[in-house]
């Protein structure tokens, strides 16, 4: 549970914060909810079922879109300053894509699930940030991975980002 994803947005009156709710089954996210209370949008994803937004099925846009044509969200460029390798990868991606848009945080994942944007690129996410996103994106036909292209790990003893987990 992340009751106010992006507390900074909430406390400064930016109406793009979300509540993230997840249920994991044997360490794997099986139900996820992204709730945006200001505009009244709620995405619900469950393993083996299509994702919905306000009760209507949604789908990601073509997941095979070329990076040069992609609209990509990121919370902030500062989140990639944790390591030189992360910064290098983000800089390469951001210079190759059509546009990087900042500041939507968890809401951006709902936009991707609904086909309004192509990707989200993040670093330093915790389990509470990412667990709800997995079933929402996968149920909409999307893919969510770590920087190595591997499925996200949800062992409570580690963070989602292996670079900061001490592995």
């Amino acid at each position: 549970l992340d009751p106010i994803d992006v507390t900074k947005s909430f406390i400064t009156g930016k109406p793009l914060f979300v509540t993230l709710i997840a249920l994991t089954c044997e360490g794997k996210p099986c139900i996820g909810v992204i709730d945006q209370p200001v505009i009244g949008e709620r995405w619900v994803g469950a393993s083996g079922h299509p994702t919905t937004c306000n009760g209507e099925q949604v789908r990601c846009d073509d997941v095979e879109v070329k990076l040069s044509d992609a609209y990509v969200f990121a919370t902030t460029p500062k989140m990639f300053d944790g390591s030189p390798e992360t910064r290098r990868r983000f800089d390469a991606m951001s210079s190759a894509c059509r546009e990087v848009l900042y500041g939507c945080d968890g809401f951006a994942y709902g936009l991707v699930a609904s086909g309004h944007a192509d990707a989200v690129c993040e670093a330093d996410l915790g389990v509470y940030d990412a667990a709800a996103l997995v079933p929402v994106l996968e149920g909409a036909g999307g893919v969510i991975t770590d920087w190595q292209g591997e499925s996200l790990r949800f062992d409570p003893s580690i963070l989602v980002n292996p670079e900061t987990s001490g592995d």
Side-chain angles (χ1 to χ4, degrees):
L1 173 66
D2 189 352
I4 303 176
D5 181 52
V6 194
T7 308
K8 291 176 187 170
S9 288
F10 177 77
I11 63 175
T12 59
K14 185 177 179 182
L16 296 179
F17 60 89
V18 295
T19 298
L20 299 172
I21 303 168
L23 175 66
T24 60
C25 304
E26 298 177 11
K28 190 172 181 199
C30 53
I31 297 174
V33 177
I34 303 171
D35 184 70
Q36 208 303 315
V38 176
I39 61 173
E41 291 193 333
R42 178 178 295 151
W43 290 267
V44 178
S47 297
H49 298 279
T51 294
T52 62
C53 180
N54 297 338
E56 299 292 323
Q57 187 175 337
V58 293
R59 294 285 300 164
C60 294
D61 207 3
D62 182 13
V63 284
E64 297 296 326
V65 68
K66 294 178 190 174
L67 186 56
S68 60
D69 295 330
Y71 287 97
V72 178
F73 280 104
T75 297
T76 174
K78 290 181 181 182
M79 77 182 331
F80 302 98
D81 291 340
S83 78
E85 180 62 15
T86 300
R87 169 50 67 188
R88 184 192 67 72
R89 288 179 177 187
F90 175 72
D91 289 345
M93 183 280 309
S94 61
S95 64
C97 71
R98 181 177 190 162
E99 186 81 37
V100 177
L101 304 156
Y102 297 103
C104 284
D105 309 287
F107 183 58
Y109 293 88
L111 295 174
V112 170
S114 294
H116 299 298
D118 301 302
V120 180
C121 184
E122 305 261 55
D124 298 328
L125 295 180
V127 171
Y128 56 89
D129 289 314
L133 309 174
V134 173
V136 170
L137 288 172
E138 289 179 350
V143 176
I144 184 167
T145 69
D146 65 14
W147 283 88
Q148 287 72 43
E150 301 294 326
S151 295
L152 300 184
R153 296 180 292 162
F154 291 94
D155 178 340
S157 67
I158 62 170
L159 295 175
V160 172
N161 182 349
E163 293 181 2
T164 61
S165 70
D167 290 11

